[in-house]
């Protein structure tokens, strides 16, 4: 409850910062629409030669593209800006102000600054998903929606945890930005159904960098194709990664404390 | 558990890995890391009672910031025991974190692109300060620091001094009992330094807050702290009354003289030590106890144009202490503390 209020305050402050740089907003929104368009046109070209890709029709793949755009928005809005800040705070030593506050330091460090104008991507993503469902003439029932909501929460937990691990590495490594770039290029594969990939790559995208849990599986759950095993795997993956990231953060803060700023 | 802050044989060592310059150096460091140990704090003990204002002095790299970081729970002690308000700082319990504040003149917590008020509101929520209390505290800080219009200006548009005032306010909204102030006046002009100093004194008087202050400006310490703790290269050099130290190191007053004709130096020497003499001016060090007598005698025997008494420059005294030119300080410390 207290944390929800704090998060609200963080969002408000971030929004006010955004207003300071109003001019960026329009430009940023245009970039978002442009990239969503590029992804859609790309998919269109793909599907002009074939009816299904990896077992997904164009309209079904649209759900994935929508989720890919949405999660990209989540990353741009909440995760990437905070990771940049954490790196900067470690470098400047201002993390001291976070660590001397009577709140959970990971919460405070990882949700402090959001880039609100990237919410455009989240909205675009939702619009694409709705459009896809409309083209499919498919309305998910309540149970399906509930499953989808759970899968979505797990997906967010998974990307959050991956980004937190990257940020936490900044306690030891200087060039974490490269790592973030690397993640972004792997994340790009999330616009395709994971079933389009073969063998090892597919395994890696499911279990090493679990991109499949971020776009493909939630899309499946929305379309009502999800089996219980995948659902359980997603919950295990989400909770497991989150716990790992929290433990890793605590470990890092402890070694920061014993080694110094 | 009589004291509010207890530091017992605290040591803090940093491990730094050595890296030779260049690519080969990097490679070598990658395969065989060489560590060097920096003994930032070494066996330092002191106790501080509630409401005390203590000046923490030492040359660059003495270990002042390190000690404050240990007290704030940011660093684990390598060895020794630290207790503040009954808490072990590095456990960083919320009940402890709510009761102190750390201000670092070189770092800022205010959000750069927003007016200070936004940071204040976030801190209010973090420290769970009730709305009514917050209004009262803010009003008091506003009165004392004259924040007024600053609160609505973006931090990046504030001057260094204005920003420091807001930093202090942001750090005091939860009305902490213990203040760790690490060079809060660094880089400020003399007027602003004095303003900040007055504020700290007034704050301590009103709320009985305990203050540990580091500063390289002696004026800050002279104005605020009866007691000082001096450390150098991580070791305690002196802990005790500031005036007592000055009188011990410089048991004299400084007599500045101006003449119409070049004076007879030999004649002057019978009134005190001639510290400096060039042309028509001379500086004498006169024993404190006899300062006025000596001056009177001097005026009756020597023709003087102008005469002036001054206290020895604190900077000079502290420099002597830092340089290790004063022996037996520590034993004095022990006695002063034991009594
Ligand atoms: N994070 C760190 N890693 C390694 N060595 C450190 C670290 N922080 C400080 N030191 C070293 O520890 C010693 C004490 O540093 P500290 O910052 O406590 O000094 P200080 O008394 O605050 O000095 P100043 O007056 O310059 O601020 C110095 O030799 C410094 O180089
Ligand atoms: Mg320092």
């Amino acid at each position: 409850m207290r944390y929800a209020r704090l998060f609200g305050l963080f969002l408000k402050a971030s929004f006010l910062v955004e207003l300071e740089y109003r001019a960026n907003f329009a430009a940023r929104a245009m970039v978002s629409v442009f990239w969503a368009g590029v992804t859609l046109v790309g998919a269109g070209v793909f599907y002009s030669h074939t009816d299904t890709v990896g077992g997904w029709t164009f309209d079904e793949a649209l759900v994935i593209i929508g989720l890919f755009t949405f999660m990209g928005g989540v990353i741009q809005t909440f995760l990437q800006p905070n990771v940049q800040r954490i790196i900067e705070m470690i470098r400047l030593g201002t993390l001291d102000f976070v660590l001397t506050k009577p709140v959970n330091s990971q919460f405070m460090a990882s949700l402090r600054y959001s880039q609100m104008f990237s919410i455009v991507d989240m909205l675009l993503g939702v619009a694409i998903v709705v459009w896809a469902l409309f083209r499919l003439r498919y309305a998910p029932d309540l149970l399906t929606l509930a499953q989808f909501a759970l899968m979505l929460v797990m997906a967010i937990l998974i990307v959050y945890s991956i980004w937190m691990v990257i940020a936490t590495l900044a306690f030891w490594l200087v060039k974490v930005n490269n790592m973030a770039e690397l993640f972004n290029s792997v994340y790009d594969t999330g616009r395709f159904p994971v079933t389009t990939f073969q063998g090892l790559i597919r395994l890696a995208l499911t279990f090493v960098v679990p991109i499949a849990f971020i776009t493909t599986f939630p899309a499946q759950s929305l379309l009502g194709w999800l089996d219980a095993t995948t659902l359980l795997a997603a919950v295990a993956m989400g909770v497991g990664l989150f716990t790992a990231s929290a433990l890793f953060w605590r470990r890092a803060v402890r070694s920061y404390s014993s080694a110094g700023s | 558990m009589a004291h509010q802050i207890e530091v017992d044989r605290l040591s803090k060592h940093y491990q730094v890995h050595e890296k030779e310059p260049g690519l080969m150096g990097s490679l070598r460091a990658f395969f065989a890391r060489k560590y060097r140990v920096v003994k930032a704090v070494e066996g330092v003990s002191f106790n501080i009672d509630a409401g005390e204002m203590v000046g923490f002095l030492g040359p660059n790299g003495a270990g002042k910031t390190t000690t404050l970081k240990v007290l704030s729970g940011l660093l684990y002690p390598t060895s020794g025991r630290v207790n503040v308000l009954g808490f072990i700082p590095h456990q960083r319990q919320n009940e402890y974190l709510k009761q102190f504040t750390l201000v670092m003149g070189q770092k800022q917590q205010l959000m750069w692109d927003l007016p200070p008020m936004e940071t204040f509101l976030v801190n209010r929520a973090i420290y769970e300060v009730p709305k009514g209390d917050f209004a009262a505290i803010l009003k008091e800080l506003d009165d004392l620091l004259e924040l007024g219009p600053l609160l609505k200006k973006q931090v990046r548009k504030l001057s260094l001094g204005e920003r420091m005032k807001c930093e202090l306010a942001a750090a005091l909204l939860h009305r902490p009992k213990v203040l760790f102030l690490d060079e809060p006046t660094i880089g400020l002009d003399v007027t602003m330094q004095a303003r900040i100093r007055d504020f700290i004194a007034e704050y301590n008087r009103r709320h009985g807050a305990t203050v540990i202050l580091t500063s390289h400006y002696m004026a800050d310490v002279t104005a605020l702290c009866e007691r000082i703790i001096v450390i150098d290269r991580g070791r305690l050099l002196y802990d005790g009354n500031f005036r007592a130290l000055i009188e011990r190191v410089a048991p004299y007053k400084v007599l500045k003289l101006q003449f119409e004709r070049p004076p007879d130096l030999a004649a002057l020497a019978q009134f005190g030590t001639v510290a400096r003499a060039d042309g028509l001016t001379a500086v004498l060090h006169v024993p404190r106890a006899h300062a006025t007598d000596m001056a009177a005698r001097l005026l009756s025997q020597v023709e003087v144009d102008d005469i002036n008494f001054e206290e020895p420059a604190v900077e000079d005294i502290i420099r002597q202490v830092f340089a290790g030119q004063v022996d037996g300080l520590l034993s004095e410390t022990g006695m002063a503390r034991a009594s």
Side-chain angles (χ1 to χ4, degrees):
Chain A
M1 192 44 226
R2 171 166 168 245
Y3 281 87
R5 248 194 53 217
L6 264 177
F7 186 48
L9 268 177
F10 293 168
L11 287 183
K12 178 193 152 213
S14 307
F15 184 65
L16 290 176
V17 172
E18 221 84 327
L19 289 182
E20 286 286 307
Y21 299 99
R22 242 169 309 213
N24 284 352
F25 184 80
R28 178 66 221 186
M30 261 147 53
V31 171
S32 296
V33 173
F34 174 76
W35 280 113
V38 167
T39 308
L40 287 175
V41 170
V45 171
F46 230 81
Y47 277 93
S48 63
H49 304 295
T50 165
D51 283 341
T52 63
V53 174
W56 296 64
T57 66
F58 176 71
D59 291 340
E60 290 159 357
L62 272 183
V63 176
I64 291 189
I65 291 173
L67 283 173
F68 170 78
T69 310
F70 176 82
M71 293 304 268
V74 170
I75 293 173
Q76 297 297 324
T77 311
F78 299 110
L79 306 181
Q80 196 151 3
N82 280 300
V83 168
Q84 303 296 353
R85 291 283 176 157
I86 291 173
I87 295 169
E88 193 181 298
M89 287 195 295
I90 291 173
R91 194 169 57 77
L92 298 177
T94 43
L95 192 68
D96 293 351
F97 290 119
V98 173
L99 297 178
T100 49
K101 293 278 188 302
V103 284
N104 180 291
S105 62
Q106 180 175 355
F107 166 81
M108 172 106 177
S110 64
L111 295 176
R112 187 78 157 87
Y113 297 96
S114 310
Q115 197 173 52
M116 300 297 273
F117 50 59
S118 293
I119 277 187
V120 174
D121 290 278
M122 294 167 66
L123 296 177
L124 272 175
V126 172
I128 294 172
V129 171
V130 171
W131 182 47
L133 294 183
F134 190 73
R135 287 179 53 117
L136 287 164
R137 307 195 179 287
Y138 164 66
D141 57 32
L142 269 181
L143 181 67
T144 311
L145 277 178
Q147 280 185 4
F148 171 65
L150 181 65
M151 288 299 282
L152 202 60
V153 169
M154 289 305 140
I156 291 173
L157 219 50
I158 290 168
V159 263
Y160 170 84
S161 307
I162 294 175
W163 276 93
M164 267 324 279
V165 168
I166 293 174
T168 308
L169 285 171
F171 281 93
W172 294 281
L173 308 173
V174 193
K175 298 230 169 96
V176 177
N177 278 320
N178 298 347
M179 209 86 80
E181 281 309 308
L182 185 67
F183 174 81
N184 278 338
S185 29
V186 177
Y187 177 71
D188 265 347
T189 60
R191 75 181 81 203
F192 307 107
V194 75
T195 41
T196 41
F197 299 97
Q198 303 300 321
L200 276 181
I201 295 184
R202 181 150 148 198
L203 271 179
L205 289 179
T206 310
F207 296 110
V208 182
V209 187
I211 302 294
F213 285 93
I214 299 171
T215 56
T216 307
F217 296 161
Q220 286 178 343
S221 83
L222 186 62
L223 293 169
W225 306 347
L226 196 68
D227 53 282
T229 326
T230 316
L231 190 84
L232 285 179
V235 172
M237 189 67 101
V239 173
L241 277 180
F242 180 72
T243 311
S245 80
L247 289 176
F248 189 38
W249 174 264
R250 273 176 50 181
R251 164 96 182 55
V253 166
R254 205 166 41 213
S255 85
Y256 171 85
S257 310
S258 49
S261 44
Chain B
M1 262 311 303
H3 307 284
Q4 197 174 57
I5 300 177
E6 297 184 343
V7 175
D8 184 23
R9 275 162 292 170
L10 170 69
S11 294
K12 175 68 203 177
H13 298 175
Y14 293 106
Q15 288 213 329
V16 282
H17 17 265
E18 309 235 275
K19 189 176 93 57
E20 289 150 48
L23 182 62
M24 279 316 285
S26 298
L27 281 178
R28 209 169 299 144
F30 187 81
F31 287 111
R33 288 219 142 163
K34 266 193 285 179
Y35 289 100
R36 185 167 55 91
V37 173
V38 176
K39 297 183 174 175
V41 177
E42 186 69 2
V44 167
S45 303
F46 57 83
N47 295 318
I48 294 177
D49 288 318
E52 271 195 272
M53 281 213 268
V54 177
F56 206 36
L57 302 183
N60 288 128
K64 304 179 295 293
T65 301
T66 303
T67 308
L68 290 187
K69 281 188 174 179
V70 171
L71 289 172
S72 313
L74 288 167
L75 296 178
Y76 283 70
T78 305
S79 66
R81 218 178 47 80
V82 176
N83 193 306
V84 185
L85 293 160
F87 293 94
I88 314 276
H90 71 75
Q91 291 178 348
R92 285 200 276 121
Q93 285 151 289
N94 284 349
E95 301 81 63
Y96 176 56
L97 298 175
K98 281 184 178 181
Q99 297 191 61
F100 75 87
T101 204
L102 173 66
V103 176
M104 292 176 280
Q106 327 238 34
K107 300 177 188 174
Q108 63 160 28
Q109 66 163 321
L110 296 171
M111 289 183 278
W112 188 244
D113 285 315
L114 294 179
M117 195 59 195
E118 296 302 325
T119 307
F120 292 5
L121 291 175
V122 169
N123 279 3
R124 178 177 86 77
I126 288 176
Y127 287 103
E128 301 176 283
V129 184
K131 268 214 163 68
D133 294 3
F134 178 74
I137 292 168
L138 189 60
K139 173 154 189 335
E140 183 188 15
L141 291 170
D142 186 8
D143 290 345
L144 290 175
L145 286 167
E146 293 173 26
L147 302 172
L150 305 182
L151 293 181
K152 302 218 163 64
K153 255 167 101 176
Q154 286 93 334
V155 170
R156 70 184 130 90
K157 293 182 184 161
L158 298 177
S159 78
L160 185 60
E162 293 170 339
R163 209 160 73 212
M164 199 56 227
K165 291 206 282 187
C166 296
E167 280 287 334
L168 274 170
L172 295 173
L173 290 169
H174 57 295
R175 192 148 283 171
K177 288 194 184 124
V178 178
L179 278 54
F180 301 126
L181 308 179
D182 194 11
E183 305 194 43
T185 54
I186 190 164
L188 305 185
D189 72 37
V190 244
T191 328
M192 188 57 86
Q193 270 178 31
R195 296 280 310 276
I196 300 282
R197 203 182 291 148
D198 292 346
F199 167 75
I200 296 170
E202 180 62 23
Y203 191 86
N204 164 272
R205 193 156 44 236
R206 286 195 188 189
H207 303 294
T210 310
V211 179
I212 302 187
L213 170 90
T214 82
S215 176
H216 290 290
Y217 304 115
M218 281 312 127
D220 287 346
V221 184
T222 320
L224 291 176
C225 309
E226 262 180 45
R227 173 178 167 199
I228 58 167
I229 294 175
V230 183
I231 59 171
D232 182 25
R233 275 165 287 175
R235 290 180 183 281
L236 192 76
L237 280 187
Y238 178 79
D239 174 3
N241 189 278
F242 194 15
R243 287 241 64 85
L245 176 70
I246 290 172
E247 280 163 27
R248 155 97 163 64
V249 177
Y252 52 78
K253 287 203 170 193
V254 177
L255 194 56
K256 292 198 167 162
L257 300 165
Q258 178 84 42
F259 307 97
E260 277 179 343
R261 263 175 277 114
D264 172 8
L265 292 182
L268 282 183
Q270 54 180 305
F271 302 103
T273 321
V274 182
R276 195 158 47 85
D278 45 345
L280 297 178
T281 61
V283 176
L284 288 191
H285 288 176
V286 187
R288 250 167 220 285
H290 316 292
T292 9
D293 301 348
M294 284 298 186
R297 271 178 52 205
L298 187 142
L299 281 174
S300 66
Q301 292 174 29
V302 186
E303 203 170 311
V304 176
D305 195 30
D306 191 17
I307 181 165
N308 232 326
F309 260 130
E310 280 177 17
E311 284 296 327
V314 181
E315 282 78 4
D316 295 340
I317 295 171
I318 289 299
R319 203 173 306 127
Q320 282 181 49
V321 174
F322 286 177
Q325 289 167 3
V326 185
D327 296 327
L329 276 178
L330 207 54
S331 57
E332 218 159 277
T333 297
M335 287 191 311
R337 288 285 92 202
S339 61

